[in-house]
Amino acid sequence: METRRPVAVDAEKTLIGSLLRYPEEAEDILNLPEHYFDSTKLRECFKLCREQLLLGDLNVVEVIQKKALSTYEVTQLTEMAWSATLIPMNIKALKDAAHRRALQDMATTILTKASDLTLDTIELLTEAGQHLDDAMVTEVKDPVPLIKIAESFFDNYRQGTQEKGIPTGFADVDKVFGGFFPGELTVLAARPSMGKTALAQTLSARVAKATGLPVPFFSLEMSEYQLGLRYVSTALGVGVDSLRREMVSEKLIDQKVGDVLTYLASIDVRIIDEAGMTTLDVVNLSRKLNREKGGLGMVVIDYLTLLVDSMERGGSEDLRLTGMVRRLAAMAKKLNVPVLLLAQLNREVEKRDDKRPRESDLRGSGGIEERAENILFLYRDKYYYPTSDDDSLEIIVAKQKQGPRGYTAHVNYCPETGRFADRTRREPGPQEKMWQDVCTDGQILGGAKQ
């Protein structure tokens, strides 16, 4: 079956005629991209008329002299544009034809690429989906006057409806960190076993609860079962190892199972544990879930260097990581969703006396610093110095594009259960008593379950 190229011939002619006949009402026509005109001759005429109108007045005689149109064609076109009221209808017809041609060209390109078995299938699917998403955005936004933005801000401020970040739920952290805003990429980085996955779990649950929207959690290090079990152990308040070895009493399980299941059902966290995922896979699956559910609360990726994007020819590892961060930052803006990206720190931090992380400790730090709106570091004194009296987890706000940076907040963290709590909730006294709000006592047996 032969495919016909979509062209709005009469609309193209009528709009050029309208430019010639009603130049004072041509503003909407002038805003059209020149490639919307499929006819080469009418496209050149449009470019000439637009240039004249933007720089001064339209000179029909000059249009004829430059052989864009003949005198007969000018007469014919102006007769077709018998009323300025025809302009909106013909603009719509022109846009519809142009968008259909774009889709047709995209389909031809994808069909050609799909026949090339050397190309990656997932990348092809992602590219096709991106083209379709772009095709749905048919208009470029009009410029917004600054005064309108300011007026909107003050109106929302007075009404208490201005955009707010989703809070972390930790009082000390929220004092210095604005929260998770749609369209922003936040990097959470630490050395291994510092607690970043556990914190990401807590934050994903709180965001899902606060927004009522799904939170996809891309787990590149643990299987869906392993990560799911960590959510269960945290909700129960027992160590995941105790659950795996059946060292938790059946009485406790029976007492809490209803509450735990009710709580986990109230947070729509979706775990994706596919091995060998790329940033394109993350973008593709996030876009699909966003379209199906009408929005996402947050996207969590654990963690950056486990994504397996290929290195471009002649590129370096730092350039590869920079490209990955750039794509994830673009996804945040495209989907208008917060993205939490976990990252490992290099070993340089271990060589210093003060082992608190710095931005230079990030692998591919240049690309991350440039693209991420926020960078958070984790540090535990007890991790390096077991006899230290400081058993808190430090959350260091190293970068915050719209807020203060260089501040440190402290929270309680129990590595065994993965639970967190505000420092302000700690009670004075022995360490065991101080941790009651984070680590649950008296629930783990010395042997097998009873």
Side-chain angles (χ1 to χ4, degrees):
M1 178 180 176
E2 185 178 353
T3 303
R4 187 173 61 183
R5 186 171 177 80
V7 179
V9 179
D10 288 344
E12 292 187 24
K13 291 181 177 179
T14 304
L15 289 173
I16 297 298
S18 298
L19 276 177
L20 299 170
R21 189 167 183 171
Y22 312 105
E24 70 282 355
E25 300 185 46
E27 184 177 345
D28 288 341
I29 304 175
L30 297 180
N31 290 331
L32 293 170
E34 60 187 52
H35 70 266
Y36 277 18
F37 290 85
D38 188 64
S39 164
T40 303
K41 185 167 189 174
L42 293 177
R43 188 186 316 122
E44 291 303 314
C45 181
F46 170 72
K47 290 164 64 176
L48 178 58
C49 292
R50 181 175 61 179
E51 181 182 348
Q52 289 188 356
L53 284 168
L54 291 176
L55 297 178
D57 295 324
L58 180 64
N59 188 329
V60 178
V61 174
E62 187 178 343
V63 173
I64 296 172
Q65 287 175 342
K66 290 191 175 182
K67 298 183 179 179
L69 294 172
S70 66
T71 303
Y72 170 75
E73 287 172 325
V74 169
T75 302
Q76 184 187 43
L77 294 176
T78 52
E79 285 179 352
M80 291 183 70
W82 50 268
S83 172
T85 60
L86 299 175
I87 292 175
M89 176 182 67
N90 283 285
I91 285 178
K92 182 180 184 305
L94 189 75
K95 288 180 178 179
D96 286 346
H99 295 149
R100 287 179 180 273
R101 289 197 301 273
L103 282 172
Q104 200 176 73
D105 293 341
M106 177 271 293
T108 302
T109 301
I110 294 298
L111 183 61
T112 302
K113 289 186 175 182
S115 303
D116 186 349
L117 299 182
T118 64
L119 298 177
D120 183 74
T121 305
I122 297 299
E123 290 190 17
L124 284 175
L125 289 170
T126 302
E127 182 180 345
Q130 188 66 56
H131 279 300
L132 289 171
D133 280 354
D134 291 341
M136 289 189 287
V137 182
T138 58
E139 298 293 334
V140 176
K141 291 196 301 184
D142 290 331
V144 180
L146 175 60
I147 187 62
K148 286 191 174 294
I149 298 173
E151 288 172 347
S152 175
F153 168 78
F154 284 118
D155 287 344
N156 292 334
Y157 195 92
R158 291 190 189 99
Q159 297 169 20
T161 58
Q162 78 273 20
E163 185 181 48
K164 299 182 180 69
I166 303 165
T168 65
F170 300 115
D172 287 347
V173 179
D174 289 332
K175 286 177 184 176
V176 294
F177 180 61
F180 301 106
F181 283 84
E184 290 191 354
L185 173 67
T186 298
V187 172
L188 176 64
R191 289 294 291 153
S193 302
M194 200 62 67
K196 59 182 179 298
T197 299
L199 183 57
Q201 286 178 241
T202 296
L203 295 173
S204 67
R206 291 182 177 182
V207 170
K209 189 77 171 177
T211 63
L213 293 170
V215 173
F217 194 122
F218 291 89
S219 178
L220 307 173
E221 187 174 29
M222 289 182 282
S223 70
E224 61 184 29
Y225 178 79
Q226 290 172 325
L227 184 59
L229 197 60
R230 290 181 64 156
Y231 277 93
V232 172
S233 73
T234 299
L236 281 172
V238 299
V240 68
D241 184 59
S242 300
L243 279 179
R244 288 168 61 94
R245 293 193 288 152
E246 298 186 343
M247 295 179 65
V248 180
S249 69
E250 288 187 0
K251 180 180 179 181
L252 173 69
I253 296 292
D254 290 342
Q255 285 176 343
K256 293 199 170 186
V257 62
D259 291 339
V260 169
L261 292 177
T262 299
Y263 164 70
L264 294 178
S266 71
I267 56 170
D268 192 358
V269 176
R270 311 286 181 99
I271 300 173
I272 304 105
D273 70 348
E274 290 289 334
M277 295 191 76
T278 67
T279 52
L280 290 174
D281 297 325
V282 172
V283 172
N284 199 34
L285 290 169
S286 299
R287 192 181 65 239
K288 180 175 182 288
L289 187 59
N290 180 69
R291 190 166 53 242
E292 290 175 352
K293 299 300 179 181
L296 299 175
M298 174 188 275
V299 177
V300 182
I301 303 111
D302 183 16
Y303 55 89
L304 174 63
T305 48
L306 291 181
L307 292 165
V308 295
D309 291 41
S310 57
M311 191 179 298
E312 296 181 12
R313 183 175 298 176
S316 65
E317 176 66 6
D318 279 357
L319 286 176
R320 185 179 78 94
L321 292 175
T322 297
M324 292 157 66
V325 174
R326 184 182 67 248
R327 284 188 282 274
L328 294 173
M331 177 186 75
K333 290 176 175 56
K334 182 78 174 180
L335 300 182
N336 195 34
V337 62
V339 174
L340 182 64
L341 173 62
L342 276 58
Q344 293 276 32
L345 300 174
N346 60 42
R347 290 187 175 88
E348 292 301 311
V349 67
E350 311 287 355
K351 301 176 184 178
R352 299 194 300 264
D353 291 336
D354 183 359
K355 303 188 187 304
R356 287 174 176 81
R358 305 168 184 167
E359 288 184 56
S360 58
D361 296 323
L362 284 163
R363 290 182 61 185
S365 57
I368 293 176
E369 287 179 63
E370 180 184 355
R371 297 290 176 176
E373 278 79 13
N374 313 299
I375 299 176
L376 308 177
F377 292 130
L378 302 185
Y379 172 80
R380 283 194 291 129
D381 212 46
K382 258 193 173 336
Y383 177 85
Y384 292 105
Y385 312 106
T387 59
S388 171
D389 293 333
D390 184 0
D391 46 30
S392 69
L393 172 73
E394 296 181 18
I395 300 178
I396 303 165
V397 183
K399 177 185 177 182
Q400 189 175 191
K401 189 167 281 189
Q402 301 291 346
R405 61 174 66 191
Y407 287 84
T408 299
H410 295 258
V411 298
N412 290 342
Y413 169 53
C414 178
E416 289 74 25
T417 64
R419 281 190 169 184
F420 296 84
D422 283 322
R423 281 294 268 188
T424 53
R425 291 174 54 191
R426 290 180 59 154
E427 301 175 22
Q431 182 172 320
E432 291 76 19
K433 183 174 178 59
M434 292 164 67
W435 283 89
Q436 280 184 353
D437 57 350
V438 185
C439 292
T440 306
D441 296 327
Q443 298 178 346
I444 303 176
L445 307 173
K449 66 179 181 180
Q450 296 179 358

